[in-house]
Amino acid sequence: MALTFRFAQEADAPLILRFIRELADYEHLLDQVVADEATLRDQLFEKHRAEVLFALENGTEVGFALFFHNFSTFLGRSGLYLEDLYVRPEHREKGVGRALFHQLAAIAAERGCGRLEWWCLNWNTPSIGFYKSLGAEAMEDWTVYRLSGKALSDLEQPEA
């Protein structure tokens, strides 16, 4: 298998959205996808909020990783946060996911990042096993919290 990698370009917005939808479908969360091509173009290529790396097999995109920089106050430097990693089902078990992680680790090293982090759904045992095979550790002492929708907009307004 001849894998190559490339960073996404603005013209890739439809392909990025297709990968996001495939991942969301796999995670049983397709109904939560509200992203569209225009939003992706704006956020990824005009505002540079995140980056997308494609894995290509024989010139065809078979997987992607969407990531951005975060910051660790304890380390005093940035890290990479992996929002999404997805390999199309027919290309799994060929080393594409591992190769994407190698590329992300190389990007993190090149940029002087102190860590590479991501979340994983608790039920996704195939991915959990894969991540552990890479040497990743679950952060058992931490719980993810989120404000969104009405809770987020309610918090925008200072209390009287």
Side-chain angles (χ1 to χ4, degrees):
M1 168 182 62
L3 270 185
T4 56
F5 300 90
R6 72 173 180 85
F7 282 97
Q9 308 277 324
E10 188 171 346
D12 291 314
L15 179 60
I16 296 166
L17 184 58
R18 197 168 331 133
F19 272 107
I20 290 169
R21 291 183 160 285
E22 288 178 26
L23 171 62
D25 188 45
Y26 170 76
E27 292 180 337
H28 313 292
L29 299 170
L30 188 56
D31 62 321
Q32 294 183 28
V33 176
V34 296
D36 58 30
E37 292 175 25
T39 302
L40 292 174
R41 280 189 192 94
D42 175 63
Q43 294 294 304
L44 298 176
F45 303 106
E46 291 177 29
K47 294 184 175 148
H48 306 285
R49 305 271 193 219
E51 300 174 68
V52 173
L53 180 68
F54 287 114
L56 295 83
E57 184 177 353
N58 301 317
T60 300
E61 293 82 0
V62 298
F64 90 124
L66 188 148
F67 64 96
F68 54 89
H69 285 267
N70 57 12
F71 192 85
S72 168
T73 55
F74 288 10
L75 295 178
R77 54 198 225 184
S78 67
L80 289 187
Y81 181 81
L82 175 61
E83 178 66 24
D84 289 332
L85 186 135
Y86 178 75
V87 176
R88 290 198 159 132
E90 62 273 19
H91 297 279
R92 292 183 189 151
E93 313 255 342
K94 295 180 176 181
V96 177
R98 183 174 292 276
L100 275 165
F101 266 98
H102 282 292
Q103 290 296 312
L104 291 168
I107 292 167
E110 176 184 307
R111 296 179 183 182
C113 295
R115 35 171 98 135
L116 172 60
E117 299 176 300
W118 62 95
W119 299 348
C120 181
L121 291 166
N122 291 333
W123 61 260
N124 193 346
T125 54
S127 292
I128 292 168
F130 169 64
Y131 299 146
K132 287 182 177 180
S133 79
L134 297 174
E137 298 176 22
M139 301 298 295
E140 303 288 340
D141 295 339
W142 297 85
T143 300
V144 175
Y145 288 89
R146 176 180 292 165
L147 284 169
S148 62
K150 183 174 177 350
L152 181 60
S153 62
D154 286 351
L155 195 58
E156 288 177 39
Q157 305 304 319
E159 295 180 25

